[in-house]
Amino acid sequence: MIDLLVVGGGPAGLATALHAARAGLDVQVWEPRAAPVDKACGEGLMPTAVAALAELGVDPAGADLTGIRYVAGARSASAPFRSGLGRGVRRTTLHAALHSAALAAAVPVRPQRFSTLTQDEESVTVDGVRARYVVGADGLHSAVRAAAGLGARPAGLRRYGQRRHARVAPWTDRVEVHWGPSAEAYVTPLGSGEVGVALLTTRRAPFAHLLTEFPELSERLAGAQMSPTLGAGPMLQRTRARTAGRVLLVGDAAGYVDALTGEGVALALAQAREAVAACAAGDPVSYEGAWRRVSRRYRLLTHALVLPTQLPAARNRLVPLAAAFPRVFAGAVDALGG
Ligand SMILES: Cc1cc2nc3c(=O)[nH]c(=O)nc-3n(C[C@H](O)[C@H](O)[C@H](O)COP(=O)(O)OP(=O)(O)OC[C@H]3O[C@@H](n4cnc5c(N)ncnc54)[C@H](O)[C@@H]3O)c2cc1C
């Protein structure tokens, strides 16, 4: 019997495996997709994510991010990260760095897909493999979450994300969030003549169509070579709890609100650390409180931002208000930074 089986080898799963290896646990990861795994993501790592990666000895190449700028037409509001630099990192670069670190730590990453689990008081059996604990890190549509009975009925807004890379020299060292009539465009400088553009919206329309909501941004991207579109969603995923017996959920599998604040990877890394601490202490139930603690501010801030901004009047006022109250905006950006 192994100590820990991690299902899903994205950022949450690989970070869990790295923490587990450090804690001396016998751990393996199941990830059916070949490295480096790509995903629809805004690719902005908040300063806390950069610090949590450094703690694991992972230092992916990218472009320094100094803060966040909200843009709506000619209006904008900008604030720095005060707690350090964030980083714009291509998703495949992040995955490759975490994957190499896992291999260097002698963690087996098996090309295997989870399908079923059963558990008793001492172990969990996953598709014939027995482990003392299982961490479900299999993303937004987690099969582990469903199998452990931890999913909750979907409710609320169904928002989707799409991402493309544009071969164009970055024009800023801040993450830009452009507010259009029905969508947000999240622009991240990635270095080496490239920016990532993630569009977040309730509308299911092609990327090029949604981009017309942002004339200034469209102009900057005009003529640039664009990568194919990757999509994800619906982003809002609810869970009724994060542990069931010896099964724990981390990252998007544990529940997700929205990508608007760009914190998914930072949260996944924090949850990975807490889940391993709970397993190493033989106290999986303690993870529930730790999960609440590390994700509370994200859940409150993201709900507070996403729900009201679906109303046109609130959308129109957001950037002028942020510009008019720079300290409040700076405080919010500071909170994101860590
Ligand atoms: C449009 C968009 C923009 C975003 N922008 C940002 C941003 O700028 N900054 C930020 O920090 N976060 C951002 N996020 C959030 C971030 O991408 C996620 O929070 C992060 O990827 C979570 O990592 P994860 O490891 O939990 O899930 P994933 O990265 O989804 O990894 C899950 C892994 O599990 C594997 N898997 C799935 N099913 C199975 C199975 N049955 N068996 C085994 N393995 C399985 C998958 O192949 C995958 O590799 C964004 C999200 C979206 C949708």
Side-chain angles (χ1 to χ4, degrees), residues 224-278:
Q225 192 189 324
M226 303 286 284
S227 69
T229 306
L230 284 186
M235 290 187 271
L236 181 63
Q237 299 290 333
R238 295 180 185 275
T239 43
R240 58 171 192 78
R242 272 51 57 182
T243 57
R246 292 175 167 271
V247 179
L248 298 79
L249 302 177
V250 299
D252 289 1
Y256 192 64
V257 183
D258 200 272
L260 192 51
T261 56
E263 293 175 277
V265 173
L267 275 176
L269 297 172
Q271 293 167 10
R273 190 197 306 115
E274 298 298 340
V276 170

Side-chain angles (χ1 to χ4, degrees), residues 7-12 30-33 37 39-44 91 112-114 137-139 161 186 200 232 235 251-252 256 259 262-265:
V7 177
W30 288 8
E31 169 55 59
R33 298 170 65 197
V37 174
K39 176 190 180 287
C41 183
E43 300 173 314
R91 190 62 190 213
Q112 208 141 334
R113 180 176 289 281
F114 164 91
D138 50 343
Y186 192 105
L200 312 176
M235 290 187 271
D252 289 1
Y256 192 64
E263 293 175 277
V265 173

Side-chain angles (χ1 to χ4, degrees), residues 79 82 322-334:
R82 293 210 194 98
F325 296 98
R327 282 196 187 177
V328 177
F329 185 62
V333 169
D334 231 17

Side-chain angles (χ1 to χ4, degrees), residues 132-160:
R132 284 174 59 227
Y133 298 102
V134 167
V135 163
D138 50 343
L140 277 185
H141 307 289
S142 171
V144 174
R145 178 173 73 213
L150 290 171
R153 276 163 63 95
L157 282 174
R158 292 171 74 83
R159 300 225 314 153
Y160 300 85

